[in-house]
Amino acid sequence: MGQLLSRSTQSTAQIPILILGATGYIGGSVLSRLLAHPDVERFEITALVRSAEKAERLRELGVKTVIGSTDDAEKLETLASQAHIVFSMVDADDLAAIQTILRGLKKRHDTSSDIPILIHTSGAAVLGDQAKGLHDSDVIYDDTNFEQIEALPPSQPHHDVDIAIVEADKQGYLKSYIVVPSLVHGIASGPLVDIGIQNPFSMQIPGFILAGLDRGQVGMVGEGRAIWSNVHIDDVANLFLVLFDTILSNPEKVGHGSEGYFFAENGEHTWYDLSKAIGEALVQAGLSKDSEPTSLTDDELIKYTGSVRGEQMGTNARCRANKARALGWNPTKTSQDMFDGLNLQVDALVKAMQAKQQKASTSLHHIPEID
């Protein structure tokens, strides 16, 4: 990364940063990069974590920790009020948590001259249609087209949270930046994974794998004709750092609020092609006899996703990260890398299940919702 701070600011106090989701798939990958940043000594990083054991391991890496969750409203508001920068990399649908964070950031602004920064993680489900796997779409969202994004109905997944954040930016007490990953693939790596405190797996692809293991054959929604964009976990994490660096070193280059959406994508796939490739990986691993995906029934959608929103796996959500690339983000992994990595993903997931056999029996019956 380029130089974060100018010479005139190098003698100032550390920048207080709050990380939410520090041991998660995306959050842990971003935190690992912050800890490796050339200006890390300029950062005072605090993470809110549920586990005392994980908190201790993070402290060993130089991260301050507070034990709790985003449900602890008073604690969360206080932590947000103490931060110049908040990375929100947890539940993209938790409106109550975001409202608490916003209250904390407003308190900071009201009691100081600071205009704090909120970098929030949404998800490409916000772009989804009602295809139910039956057709593709020519609609492609562009993160330089602010009117196109603002025209999305408030009822779209994640969008009530995004709207609340943008409204706070309009009120002037913070600057907001919303990263919108498409389907994230790949196994996370880095120091947090190495010491066993970060989740290395995404939700979507492992969800398909686990459902395929449980039903004996990989599934899909409808005919799998719909199209999603995709991006590798390393490229997503790198985007957060490019955005972070540019906000602090060259803020006039970065739009915020309604002009501060940044898509993360570097390829596309149909749901059928993804399911078919997962099926082939399961067959090659001796875990299934048939690689051809079959349509999930309504009961199976509820079983494997816990909600009718499982139909998101049959939506179209196509996007182009032109604004992100204009900042200097240069993703390198493609859809082909996603397909090529499925055998490794199956093997790693099965080994993780075997290592946690007691918990695996329940994990097969509830697959997290898609981002």
Side-chain angles (χ1 to χ4, degrees):
M1 302 298 171
Q3 286 297 314
L4 174 63
L5 302 173
S6 66
R7 291 182 180 180
S8 62
T9 60
Q10 285 180 354
S11 60
T12 60
Q14 287 182 304
I15 301 170
I17 300 172
L18 175 63
I19 304 286
L20 303 173
T23 62
Y25 180 57
I26 293 177
S29 299
V30 173
L31 177 55
S32 294
R33 284 159 174 76
L34 285 173
L35 292 173
H37 196 287
D39 290 312
V40 66
E41 292 184 1
R42 304 299 304 151
F43 312 149
E44 181 183 72
I45 302 174
T46 301
L48 177 66
V49 293
R50 292 186 177 91
S51 162
E53 179 183 357
K54 290 183 178 182
E56 176 59 31
R57 302 306 299 273
L58 285 172
R59 285 193 291 271
E60 293 171 0
L61 296 175
V63 178
K64 292 186 175 183
T65 59
V66 175
I67 297 174
S69 75
T70 53
D71 294 329
D72 300 323
E74 183 176 353
K75 186 176 293 184
L76 180 59
E77 182 175 335
T78 298
L79 288 170
S81 72
Q82 296 169 347
H84 175 61
I85 300 174
V86 175
F87 283 90
S88 171
M89 299 174 286
V90 285
D91 186 351
D93 292 305
D94 193 342
L95 180 60
I98 281 296
Q99 290 171 333
T100 301
I101 293 166
L102 296 177
R103 286 196 300 271
L105 294 175
K106 188 174 190 302
K107 182 182 296 184
R108 180 178 181 85
H109 174 72
D110 290 345
T111 57
S112 71
S113 60
D114 189 30
I115 299 179
I117 292 164
L118 175 58
I119 302 175
H120 174 70
T121 313
S122 184
V126 70
L127 311 176
D129 59 14
Q130 300 298 317
K132 298 184 180 180
L134 300 178
H135 60 81
D136 60 11
S137 172
D138 293 330
V139 176
I140 299 177
Y141 289 86
D142 185 331
D143 57 7
T144 63
N145 188 337
F146 317 128
E147 293 80 9
Q148 185 189 34
I149 299 170
E150 284 203 308
L152 290 166
S155 58
Q156 289 290 97
H158 318 323
H159 203 36
D160 57 344
V161 173
D162 298 344
I163 289 171
I165 292 170
V166 171
E167 178 59 31
D169 184 284
K170 289 178 181 178
Q171 293 179 25
Y173 64 84
L174 59 77
K175 290 186 177 180
S176 69
Y177 308 87
I178 299 176
V179 178
V180 185
S182 51
L183 184 146
V184 187
H185 61 91
I187 301 173
S189 60
L192 275 67
V193 174
D194 293 342
I195 62 176
I197 63 172
Q198 179 188 345
N199 169 32
F201 299 113
S202 67
M203 293 190 296
Q204 299 96 321
I205 290 176
F208 274 103
I209 293 170
L210 292 174
L213 290 172
D214 190 47
R215 69 196 294 268
Q217 190 172 357
V218 70
M220 61 184 175
V221 176
E223 298 173 7
R225 294 177 181 269
I227 300 171
W228 261 58
S229 299
N230 57 67
V231 65
H232 192 273
I233 180 59
D234 289 341
D235 289 326
V236 173
N238 289 341
L239 172 57
F240 276 91
L241 266 290
V242 169
L243 179 59
F244 171 79
D245 279 353
T246 310
I247 289 168
L248 292 183
S249 66
N250 193 12
E252 63 276 5
K253 185 178 179 180
V254 192
H256 58 90
S258 61
E259 298 183 4
Y261 285 88
F262 299 85
F263 295 155
E265 58 75 28
N266 198 39
E268 291 186 325
H269 62 274
T270 67
W271 290 109
Y272 172 83
D273 287 342
L274 178 58
S275 292
K276 175 69 172 178
I278 291 171
E280 290 171 350
L282 290 174
V283 169
Q284 290 173 22
L287 299 170
S288 177
K289 295 182 179 179
D290 193 340
S291 64
E292 186 64 25
T294 58
S295 298
L296 295 166
T297 66
D298 289 344
D299 287 342
E300 285 179 320
L301 281 174
I302 294 171
K303 176 180 180 181
Y304 295 124
T305 71
S307 136
V308 292
R309 286 181 55 189
E311 290 186 353
Q312 289 174 17
M313 294 182 290
T315 64
N316 291 285
R318 306 177 68 186
C319 60
R320 297 293 181 268
N322 292 318
K323 187 175 180 66
R325 287 182 172 87
L327 294 181
W329 180 58
N330 183 30
T332 60
K333 301 295 178 65
T334 66
S335 300
Q336 190 60 52
D337 292 298
M338 177 179 71
F339 292 126
D340 290 345
L342 289 174
N343 292 88
L344 179 62
Q345 184 112 312
V346 168
D347 182 63
L349 191 61
V350 169
K351 287 180 179 177
M353 291 168 59
Q354 291 171 342
K356 299 179 180 179
Q357 192 170 6
Q358 296 302 316
K359 296 180 181 179
S361 60
T362 59
S363 69
L364 287 174
H365 298 289
H366 181 79
I367 309 304
E369 294 177 1
I370 191 167
D371 270 351

